[in-house]
Structures are given as C-alpha cells and as structure tokens.
Amino acid sequence: MMAKKSESVFLEEWLCSISGTQENVTLKHPSSASAQAIIRAWADLRDSLQNQAFHSNHLQSLRTLVDVQFSLYIADPQAKILLSILSSQKVSLPQESYPLFVRLLYIWVRKSFRHSPGVIDSAVEVLLHLFSGHIHSNKSLSFFSEGVLLLGALSFVPSASEKSITVCLKLLCQLLEEDYRLIHLSERTIPNVLAGIGYALSSSANIYFVRVLSCLMELWDKSDVPSASLSYGLMILHLMEWSFSNFINSHSADKIDLFSREVLKNTRPAFSLFAVVMAAAGVLRVINRSEQKTLIDLKISAEERIETIACGLVSSAGDADYATMEPRNSFLLQCISLALSKSGPFSYQPHVFLCLTTALLTEIFPLPHIYIKIQESPSGNLVGLVLTEVQQHLDSIIFKEAGAITSVFCNQYVMADEENRSAVEDIIWNYCRDVYMWHRKVALILGGREEALLGNLEKIAESAFLMVVVFALAVTKHKLSLSAPQEIQMRLSVRILVAFSCMEYFRRMRLPEYMDTIRAVVTRVQENEHACVSFVESIPSYDDLTNQAGLPSSFQKMEYMWTTDEVQTARVLFYMRVIPTCVECIPASVFRKVLAPTMFLYMGHPTGKLAKASHSVFVAFMSSGKDADPDERDTLKEQLVFYYVKRSLEGYPGITPFEGMASGVVALVRHLPAGSPSIFYCIHCLIEKADSLCSSVDTTPETDLWKSWDGELEPFKMLDLLFRLLSLVDIQVLPSLMKSLAQLVVKLPSSGQDIILNELYQHVAESDDVTRKPTLVSWLQSLSYLSYQNTSKNAPKVAAKELHDSMSGTTDSLSMNKISARL
C-alpha cells in the first residue's frame, strides 16, 4: 500500500514530492546544525521554562530546532517542555514563536514511536486553549496551517483517547470552515492543510468524517481561496490514495461506505468537480492495486462518477471547435485526463473517451490554439507572450504526462463502440491536416525571426506526432482485420497514410510503431486501385506546391520559394517513399495528371534524399506493367523519358543525385520496348553530358586526373554508367551506343584513352553474355586499334576516318590478334 511506501514521515512533504511541487513545500531542507547546537537549543528552552522568561535567544533556539526537523527526534520529555512553556501564564511569548512551537510538536507526534496518552491529552488541551484565545484571533497564516497539520496528526495517533480525537477533529473542522480565507494569503500553506485533512480522515474515529471530507471537497469552490491547479489536483489524488489505503488496512468499512455515499454517489453541488475527479482517481489507484474483490462495486461507482462529470463537460462544450475551449472546461479536461493517467485500468466510458480526445488536442497538444494566436499577433510583443506561454506548457504537468494519457486514450479506443471509434478517428485525422496547414504557415512567417518560438512549437508537435502514431497503430490492430469490410479497411488505410504525411515533418526518430503501421496500411492500399488513386490524389497539386496557396494574406507580399518550405517538403517526401510500393495499381492517366508534374518538380529539389525519392518513383513506374490499358501505360513511359532525361541531366552534377539518375536510366533501358526512340534519345544525351564532363577534366601534367580511375569523380561516374549500359541495352540499340562511345573515347587525351580502355577491358572480360560478348570484343579491338593509331599519328582527321573504317570491319590483323590475346 502507498501508505507504507511513503519515504517521509511527514505527509505534507510526500504530497509535495509526488505531485512535483517540491518548490512549494513549507519544509526547509536539512540544516547543517551540529549536535552541540541542538543540545544548547534544548538547554535554552529549559532555562526559559525554569526562569519563566522568553527572550530572543530562546526564539533563535526554536528556529535552530525547526531547521533540523528532518534529522530531529523529539521524545515525550522534550514535548513536555514545549507544552509547559506554551501553557505557562507567566511566560510572554512573541507572536512568531507559536508556529515554531506547533511545528516542533508536530515533529514529536510524527516521529515518536510511543506516545504517552497523558502527553497527547495535554497537547490537545494546550491547542484548544491557543485556538480559542487571543493568539488565534490575530489570524496568523502560519499558525493556522501548522495548527491544522498538528490537529490532524494528533487525531491520527493510535494511543490518543477518543475524547482527544473528537476535540481535535471538531477544532480542525472549525478552523477549515471559519478561517479558510487565510489560505488565500499564501499557496504554500496548502500542503499543510491537505496533510492535516488526510490525517483527520484516517483517524480511528468516524465522527466528523463527513464534515472533514466536505471541507476538502468544497475548499476550491469558495471565494477568496487560491485557484485550482493540477498540482493541487495531484495532491488530492495522492491524499485520497494514502487515506484509502489506511481505510483498507484498518478495515474501516464504515469510512469506505461514507466516502462512496458522499463523493461518488450523491455529490453535493458545493463540491468542486475537479476535487471529486481527483479523489475518485485516488480511490481507483488503490483499488486497481488491491486484490480484494469486495471493492469491485466501489470501482464501478468511482468510474461512473468520473463518467457523469465527463458527460456534463461534453454537453456544456457542445460543438465548440477544439482550437477554442472555455477556461473552466479546459481545466476540467486536464484533470480528467491526468486523473485517468494515474488511476490505472479504467473501464470504457463513452464520454470519458470523448473528453480524452478533446483533452489531447486542446490541452496537451494545443497547437491550433497557439497558431491562431501567432497569426493574429499585431506586434512582436504578443509573439513574446506566446513564447512564454509555450515554454510554460512544455514545463507543465499535463504535457509531461502526454505519454501516459495517450496510453489511456488508446485503451479506451480499443473498448469503444464503433460509432465513437469512427468519430474519434475523424477528429484525429482532421487534427493532423490542420496542424500541417497551420504549421506550414507559421514556419514560413516565423522562420529566421522567432527561432526559439518555432523550436518550442515543434517540440509540442513532435509529441503530437508520437500520439498520432500510437493511436494509428491501435486503429490498424483493431480495424484492419480480416473481419472488417474491405471498403472500411481501404478508406481507413488511406486516411492514416494522409495523416502520417501531414505529420511527417515532426518525425525525428525511427519508431517501430510507425513502421508497423505503415506496413499494415500500405499492404491494404497496394491491393486496391481505388485506394491507390485516392491516396495519390491527396497529394498537393503542382500549383499548390509552387505557389502561395493556403498562406495568409500577410505572406502574399513575401517571395515564396517552394524549395525552402520544409514542412511541405517533408510531406511530399513521405508520398514519394510510399508511392513506389503501390504504383502498379495507379492508372497511367492518374500518374500523368497527378504524379508526373510533382515527380519532375522534386527531381530538382536541392535536398538529396527528396530528389532521389523522386527518381525512385520514376523507376517504379517504368518497372510497372499491370494496367487495364497497357498501350496507354507504354505510351506514357515513352513520353516521360524525354523530359526525365532532360530534367535529370540539367541538374547534374549538383542537384541530381547520380544514384537516382542511374537507377532511372537502367529502368528505362530494361523496360522500354526494344529499339525504342526514347532509349536512343537517352543514350545520345548521356554521351553529350559525358563529353562535356570529360572536356572539363584537368590534364596538366602535374594534376592529370586521367592517370588513375577515380570512380567518385563526375566524369568517371557518367562513363561507368555508359559502360554498364553496354550489357543492358537491347541488340538494336547496342551498335549506336558502341559508335557514340567510341567517338567519345577517341576525343580524349592519350592518358584518358588508356584508362578508359582498361576499364572497358575489365567490363567485357567479366561479361558472361554469350550473345553480345563477341560483338563487344570485336568493337573493343577496333577501338583499341584506333586509339593506338590516333595517339601515334596525332592526326584527328585520320582517326575519324579510321573510326569509320573500323566500324566497317577493316583493321590490322596483327593488332587485332594482340588485343584478342589481352581479352
């Protein structure tokens, strides 16, 4: 039980620690006072009692002892000294000494293992006198909070008499009911007040239980008290967890019944709803860890109470947009989501499910709300305020619990009925679309000016992306089953992919859940043409990608560069990576109209991975062939090649990634019909590009790059591609390729010709193509002879004539024999 797990004997300290509000705790950190200082302090207090006088040194002695309260142990004899001083009518005590005396008595109550009933009774009498006399009439805040704490602790002492317990509980109720406004003076007193209530609730007496419980539940609905907060809510949750553990351990069935009746079944109008939610969650936390089956009815009552509050919240919110929410509803949404993240397993409740959905999108990941503020910002000052708000949200309790709340949300989804499931799915997918649209605008507006704000926004969005991934995985596991109608599977798979594309910019890590979801939905989409077309048509159009469509009017005056739109770029990259997996089912007409313009556009994108992905789409389409109208598909392939080659080579080297272009060239050579004009055109353009690159190679003796083959240099990469094509092009195209390549080689300097011929020797020698190898050997023999002749004669015109002759088959037989021997 949690009551036994608490590391501190001080309940208020534990409440602060577990709720994450250590900075608000009234207890100080352990002091480094020596044992001699502690002994001297007690000696001074004895002198005060003996001399019936209290001076400034005695006040300092009290402070010394309070400062070491964590390590201080007070037994009954020391407690009697304190009580004697307090009850002495001859000793005049300063006002500031009373909270110190009460704190030391509290330490005695909590740390002493055996309390003398007589000393306990004396302490109660002294407190009764203090709070009924002129001391309390001054309304000291610290004296009030320390008094509530001590009264509660005294009522919790096992050896206390029934009379003393009754007096303590009655006096505590009076203080809370009459002087609750003192709490408004300082929120630092709240842990003490809550701890005092917790001790009182856990006392052995049932009298005043309902009254104390009402004080707790009504505290935040009164005027002139601190406003409710999540940290206070967590304190209430763990306070009830601690108290309820004591009820179970002490077999206090009456208190359990009273709590159920007063809080769970018949909640009073004066009760604060957030306190009821948190108290119910604290009880659920204990029940879910308990093995007692007798508590099942109480669990049902607690869950139903939270569901009733959620129902009222949903009704009051009505059709409010998730970008706007009333403050009161906003806070209650946070409380419900936080409570469920702490309570453990929770049965499905429809309104709780809807509240969790709204809380995730408006309270935990409130991106649309923040985006609207930024866009409506009339000046930089408001942007500064938004930055502060966003930073505070990142540090908030609710944001730090996002993972746990998402887990509860997904569990509720699994148990939900189909109607609510579908409704929540639509809400989540639409949220992804809105985040994409808004963040694209805001990133372009703030980029380069408000990087801190933009970075913090992306931290929230990254967590929102994780939430979407986890939810999507839950959806795929429970809806993309064999039993679900195919139409539903297809529609849902497409919506998940579109949602992922909208959130792709915020993906900062490789997640197994992400990959599992992608595989599951892509498998469904690639089996259905309608689903493929629906997914492809969801990609932004060419005009939207290159123009300012969807951007705010204030941005229209600025120059828009589609290549710098990173949010849009990430989304397109997602499409380019997924489309190759389902390109077989994409009709040629759709590819021509929707994909081809975008594919060619992003081939010229400066981001290498995006340009490469665009080439992969081209390769996938060239390799596809299952079309209802194969002639239309083949015609489109022929047409695309001309622009593909032009687009690729105009950006090479520089933008076009060689690997992407090479894969595209190989694909078109392999999959276009034999003798296709497109292949001839491609080879012609490649030869021209290779010629241009080779002419730029430095041939000075000191830095002649032709002396050794460097596969990383652009000319050598292009030549290597042409060499590979010798074994790939069809027999109808091969002669043209060999002739063009030979013309290119003989133009090179001698060092270049030598290195090229060596590479060609290797390619031809390693070839196992028995059909074309004899042709290649003959061609290489002629080329080697021409290169030798060209170098020795140093006469380009003669070399050109010999090149023509060599293609006709006329060469020196001795030279040919030497070349054949090398091969």
Side-chain angles (χ1 to χ4, degrees), residues 484-603:
Q486 185 179 22
E487 182 181 353
I488 292 178
Q489 292 190 40
M490 296 302 105
R491 185 179 67 86
L492 189 58
S493 296
V494 171
R495 294 210 68 182
I496 290 175
L497 286 175
V498 174
F500 275 18
S501 76
C502 292
M503 301 297 287
E504 179 68 12
Y505 176 72
F506 309 110
R507 183 169 68 93
R508 301 291 190 263
M509 63 184 75
R510 187 179 180 87
L511 297 171
E513 296 85 354
Y514 175 83
M515 300 306 300
D516 292 344
T517 305
I518 290 288
R519 293 189 191 98
V521 296
V522 166
T523 301
R524 289 352 184 253
V525 170
Q526 64 188 187
E527 297 172 351
N528 185 279
E529 179 179 316
H530 177 72
C532 288
V533 172
S534 178
F535 172 63
V536 169
E537 290 180 343
S538 68
I539 192 172
S541 68
Y542 181 90
D543 289 338
D544 289 343
L545 292 172
T546 55
N547 297 318
Q548 302 168 344
L551 297 180
S553 57
S554 60
F555 195 77
Q556 301 295 326
K557 300 177 182 179
M558 302 171 61
E559 183 181 359
Y560 174 72
M561 292 293 295
W562 63 273
T563 54
T564 61
D565 191 339
E566 296 182 0
V567 181
Q568 178 177 272
T569 296
R571 186 181 185 194
V572 174
L573 177 60
F574 178 88
Y575 279 96
M576 293 300 174
R577 285 172 170 170
V578 174
I579 285 172
T581 65
C582 57
V583 73
E584 289 282 356
C585 292
I586 302 176
S589 58
V590 174
F591 194 94
R592 177 199 303 273
K593 179 181 178 181
V594 180
L595 273 181
T598 301
M599 176 186 72
F600 287 130
L601 174 67
Y602 279 87
M603 281 182 184

Side-chain angles (χ1 to χ4, degrees), residues 387 390-391 394 446 449-459:
L387 175 60
V390 172
Q391 185 58 58
L394 289 172
L446 299 182
R449 297 191 300 111
E450 299 289 345
E451 293 298 332
L453 175 56
L454 192 58
N456 285 344
L457 281 174
E458 291 180 1
K459 290 178 182 178

Side-chain angles (χ1 to χ4, degrees), residues 39-268:
I39 295 172
R40 189 182 311 112
W42 283 117
D44 287 343
L45 293 177
R46 290 193 194 93
D47 291 341
S48 173
L49 179 60
Q50 290 174 1
N51 299 326
Q52 294 292 291
F54 194 90
H55 304 296
S56 59
N57 63 310
H58 301 128
L59 182 63
Q60 183 58 44
S61 297
L62 291 175
R63 289 173 176 156
T64 299
L65 294 174
V66 170
D67 286 344
V68 294
Q69 57 189 298
F70 285 96
S71 57
L72 182 66
Y73 175 80
I74 300 178
D76 285 1
Q78 285 86 11
K80 290 179 180 179
I81 295 174
L82 299 173
L83 292 171
S84 298
I85 296 174
L86 281 171
S87 59
S88 176
Q89 298 181 355
K90 298 181 179 180
V91 179
S92 178
L93 297 175
Q95 191 71 30
E96 60 267 31
S97 68
Y98 287 100
L100 299 175
F101 275 110
V102 176
R103 168 56 66 171
L104 291 175
L105 288 174
Y106 172 68
I107 297 170
W108 158 65
V109 171
R110 293 302 295 153
K111 287 195 173 185
S112 180
F113 297 107
R114 293 180 180 178
H115 301 90
S116 171
V119 182
I120 293 292
D121 292 342
S122 298
V124 173
E125 290 178 6
V126 170
L127 282 178
L128 182 60
H129 171 72
L130 291 177
F131 280 102
S132 60
H134 72 282
I135 303 302
H136 180 56
S137 63
N138 293 326
K139 305 296 183 185
S140 167
L141 172 63
S142 57
F143 184 55
F144 164 78
S145 67
E146 296 290 350
V148 170
L149 187 60
L150 178 56
L151 287 170
L154 285 169
S155 70
F156 187 57
V157 175
S159 59
S161 65
E162 184 176 350
K163 178 182 177 181
S164 293
I165 293 175
T166 302
V167 171
C168 287
L169 294 175
K170 181 180 179 180
L171 185 54
L172 183 141
C173 290
Q174 290 176 350
L175 288 175
L176 291 174
E177 292 167 352
E178 297 173 4
D179 299 326
Y180 65 87
R181 291 182 179 83
L182 288 173
I183 302 176
H184 179 67
L185 299 177
S186 176
E187 297 183 6
R188 294 170 63 89
T189 63
I190 289 180
N192 281 6
V193 173
L194 292 180
I197 292 175
Y199 290 132
L201 291 174
S202 302
S203 68
S204 59
N206 292 338
I207 189 172
Y208 295 112
F209 177 83
V210 173
R211 193 173 169 186
V212 173
L213 189 61
S214 297
C215 289
L216 173 63
M217 294 293 108
E218 297 175 5
L219 184 60
W220 276 273
D221 262 13
K222 295 179 178 179
S223 58
D224 297 329
V225 295
S227 57
S229 68
L230 288 182
S231 59
Y232 297 153
L234 282 178
M235 287 184 187
I236 294 174
L237 185 150
H238 292 296
L239 176 66
M240 290 313 305
E241 176 191 6
W242 185 87
S243 300
F244 217 79
S245 297
N246 290 327
F247 299 167
I248 295 175
N249 293 339
S250 61
H251 306 286
S252 301
D254 291 342
K255 289 188 175 182
I256 293 176
D257 292 340
L258 287 171
F259 177 85
S260 177
R261 185 189 71 193
E262 296 294 326
V263 178
L264 303 180
K265 296 180 179 178
N266 302 306
T267 300
R268 302 178 189 178

Side-chain angles (χ1 to χ4, degrees), residues 210-473:
V210 173
R211 193 173 169 186
V212 173
L213 189 61
S214 297
C215 289
L216 173 63
M217 294 293 108
E218 297 175 5
L219 184 60
W220 276 273
D221 262 13
K222 295 179 178 179
S223 58
D224 297 329
V225 295
S227 57
S229 68
L230 288 182
S231 59
Y232 297 153
L234 282 178
M235 287 184 187
I236 294 174
L237 185 150
H238 292 296
L239 176 66
M240 290 313 305
E241 176 191 6
W242 185 87
S243 300
F244 217 79
S245 297
N246 290 327
F247 299 167
I248 295 175
N249 293 339
S250 61
H251 306 286
S252 301
D254 291 342
K255 289 188 175 182
I256 293 176
D257 292 340
L258 287 171
F259 177 85
S260 177
R261 185 189 71 193
E262 296 294 326
V263 178
L264 303 180
K265 296 180 179 178
N266 302 306
T267 300
R268 302 178 189 178
F271 282 9
S272 174
L273 292 181
F274 103 95
V276 173
V277 168
M278 289 305 191
V283 171
L284 285 172
R285 186 175 172 92
V286 177
I287 295 174
N288 286 326
R289 293 179 178 178
S290 173
E291 298 178 356
Q292 298 186 27
K293 296 182 180 179
T294 56
L295 299 174
I296 188 65
D297 290 339
L298 187 65
K299 175 179 172 65
I300 294 173
S301 297
E303 291 178 344
E304 289 178 347
R305 171 50 57 194
I306 297 177
E307 166 67 4
T308 300
I309 295 174
C311 179
L313 187 57
V314 171
S315 300
S316 65
D319 297 328
D321 185 75
Y322 60 71
T324 57
M325 184 67 61
E326 291 184 12
R328 179 182 175 86
N329 292 343
S330 174
F331 175 65
L332 201 51
L333 278 174
Q334 293 183 33
C335 289
I336 291 175
S337 56
L338 185 61
L340 266 62
S341 73
K342 298 290 185 180
S343 63
F346 194 92
S347 303
Y348 170 68
Q349 303 291 345
H351 295 96
V352 166
F353 181 39
L354 295 177
C355 279
L356 284 172
T357 306
T358 307
L360 282 169
L361 306 187
T362 63
E363 308 305 322
I364 302 170
F365 309 117
L367 291 169
H369 169 71
I370 300 173
Y371 292 144
I372 291 174
K373 275 192 173 182
I374 294 173
Q375 182 169 329
E376 295 176 349
S377 171
S379 64
N381 292 334
L382 186 55
V383 171
L385 294 176
V386 174
L387 175 60
T388 302
E389 177 185 334
V390 172
Q391 185 58 58
Q392 290 173 348
H393 183 74
L394 289 172
D395 297 333
S396 66
I397 295 173
I398 194 70
F399 183 74
K400 293 177 180 178
E401 293 294 331
I405 295 171
T406 299
S407 178
V408 176
F409 168 64
C410 291
N411 290 337
Q412 288 284 302
Y413 171 85
V414 171
M415 299 182 286
D417 57 273
E418 185 56 35
E419 181 181 357
N420 280 325
R421 277 185 181 178
S422 298
V424 168
E425 288 165 13
D426 290 340
I427 292 172
I428 296 296
W429 310 145
N430 291 338
Y431 172 83
C432 295
R433 177 202 61 202
D434 292 346
V435 167
Y436 164 76
M437 294 170 57
W438 277 106
H439 196 84
R440 182 185 170 215
K441 299 174 185 178
V442 169
L444 292 171
I445 293 172
L446 299 182
R449 297 191 300 111
E450 299 289 345
E451 293 298 332
L453 175 56
L454 192 58
N456 285 344
L457 281 174
E458 291 180 1
K459 290 178 182 178
I460 298 176
E462 288 169 24
S463 295
F465 166 78
L466 298 179
M467 179 273 291
V468 172
V469 169
V470 174
F471 173 72
L473 181 60

